[in-house]
Amino acid sequence: EKYPITKPGSGKNTQHIVIDLKDSGLKYQCGDSLGIFPSNNPLVVSRTIFALGSQPNVVLTKEKKTLEEVLSKSLNISRVTSALAKYVLDKNVAAGANNAALQELKAV
């Protein structure tokens, strides 16, 4: 059973989800909540860092975490935005990767 408990247009998405704890050894008391902390696929993270022309251990000043940590646990990188695609494309063209496929994509 799953349904939203926030109103449409809300700045956050809170869901009511029923989870069967039978035989799990976990105890639930009224008022308890559950946090889910997803992480991105390590291979996708690695390929994203490569596509950005960066290194995993680069520390991002604002987040005070490495690029690999941020891409692994802080961002949804399962969807490529048009801005990211353009950035990677422009970066590759600027770096001299000037093949016909890139030129065709740049024209889109």
Side-chain angles (χ1 to χ4, degrees):
E1 177 182 354
K2 172 185 162 189
Y3 56 86
I5 58 176
T6 49
K7 294 182 179 180
S10 172
K12 64 180 187 173
N13 178 8
T14 304
Q15 299 278 326
H16 172 90
I17 301 174
V18 175
I19 299 174
D20 183 2
L21 298 177
K22 185 174 42 175
D23 300 325
S24 71
L26 297 173
K27 304 289 184 212
Y28 171 84
Q29 293 182 1
C30 188
D32 285 352
S33 61
L34 172 71
I36 299 173
F37 302 94
S39 60
N40 290 304
N41 180 316
L43 181 59
V44 174
V45 170
S46 178
R47 288 181 176 176
T48 301
I49 292 169
F50 178 80
L52 293 171
S54 191
Q55 297 294 318
N57 60 349
V58 170
V59 176
L60 303 179
T61 307
K62 183 177 177 185
E63 288 81 4
K64 297 181 179 146
K65 297 178 183 176
T66 66
L67 178 59
E68 184 175 41
E69 290 172 308
V70 170
L71 291 176
S72 293
K73 300 189 185 226
S74 300
L75 297 174
N76 177 0
I77 60 171
S78 61
R79 290 188 181 156
V80 176
T81 65
S82 58
L84 177 59
K86 182 177 180 342
Y87 172 81
V88 171
L89 176 64
D90 290 346
K91 190 167 186 67
N92 278 289
V93 170
N98 201 9
N99 63 39
L102 283 176
Q103 290 304 318
E104 187 175 329
L105 284 172
K106 193 162 173 58
V108 172

